[in-house]
Amino acid sequence: MMVRTFISIRIPEPSSLKGVLDDVGKIDNVRPSPLSQMHITLKFIGDVDERRIPKVVESVRAACRDRRRFDITLSGTGCFPNRNRPSVVWIGASPAEELTSLADEIGKRLSSAGIKFDDKPLKAHITIGRCKGPADLSGFLDSHKGEVFTEFTCSEVLVMKSVLSPAGAKHSVIERVELV
């Protein structure tokens, strides 16, 4: 059986994002992300044979073995691919260097284990909305520019399972990998 898999950092107090999610939900053609699914995706693997999940977990463990816990700040808003044709609305995550280093190390370990994954460079963010047609985000982006939404200590990296349905994706934890 195939398991849709990704590697992420969970946002521990997502309630701090309720206000900005309420704001994004007021924009025509934008569906806010569920508060319960707030996370930073480090690597998206996609469908992987369930028999290979232990290799995914070991790859993440190896990448995190000597990693120290670190502080993350969620601030500012933006969209992919651009303001004129947005499809995803996001909040930025920093420090970008630490997050990129972690994602790159996980990618190296996955490659060594023969696990294929989406190899796009990390743009550290959390998705807070998805556009279902043309959307004017200019007022929203301007009003939240540079705003700090929350800060937290990253103490673990999660190997996640995602099940798609008409009601949206349902995420569950396969394995938690603690940082030192």
Side-chain angles (χ1 to χ4, degrees):
M1 185 171 102
M2 300 302 272
V3 179
R4 191 169 189 257
T5 309
F6 64 97
I7 313 304
S8 71
I9 295 170
R10 186 180 65 86
I11 309 308
E13 296 293 333
S15 58
S16 61
L17 304 172
K18 185 171 179 354
V20 71
L21 284 171
D22 288 346
D23 287 353
V24 85
K26 294 174 187 168
I27 304 168
D28 288 342
N29 292 325
V30 179
R31 185 184 74 209
S33 301
L35 205 54
S36 62
Q37 291 185 7
M38 294 291 112
H39 67 273
I40 300 165
T41 300
L42 295 172
K43 285 293 174 195
F44 180 77
I45 298 171
D47 289 335
V48 64
D49 187 308
E50 68 181 344
R51 294 171 296 195
R52 305 215 57 207
I53 294 293
K55 286 225 179 272
V56 172
V57 170
E58 182 46 43
S59 297
V60 175
R61 281 196 191 293
C64 294
R65 194 158 282 132
D66 297 319
R67 290 255 174 197
R68 297 208 170 280
R69 295 169 183 227
F70 63 100
D71 293 334
I72 294 177
T73 301
L74 299 180
S75 63
T77 55
C79 58
F80 296 133
N82 59 55
R83 278 182 179 232
N84 297 330
R85 300 180 91 141
S87 60
V88 170
V89 185
W90 51 258
I91 291 174
S94 61
E97 310 79 31
E98 183 76 25
L99 291 162
T100 299
S101 168
L102 178 56
D104 289 349
E105 186 62 27
I106 291 169
K108 284 181 203 164
R109 302 296 181 136
L110 290 170
S111 287
S112 294
I115 306 290
K116 294 189 184 332
F117 57 91
D118 182 348
D119 201 18
K120 281 191 290 237
L122 179 72
K123 166 67 173 142
H125 72 283
I126 61 170
T127 298
I128 59 168
R130 296 194 181 276
C131 302
K132 298 298 174 194
D136 179 4
L137 301 177
S138 54
F140 171 82
L141 296 175
D142 292 343
S143 68
H144 293 291
K145 185 178 182 175
E147 182 176 342
V148 174
F149 297 101
T150 191
E151 297 174 318
F152 64 95
T153 299
C154 174
S155 60
E156 64 184 0
V157 173
L158 305 176
V159 179
M160 300 291 294
K161 173 182 179 177
S162 176
V163 177
L164 300 179
S165 77
K170 177 155 176 41
H171 300 161
S172 56
V173 176
I174 294 173
E175 190 77 31
R176 296 175 186 277
V177 177
E178 298 287 326
L179 302 181
V180 293

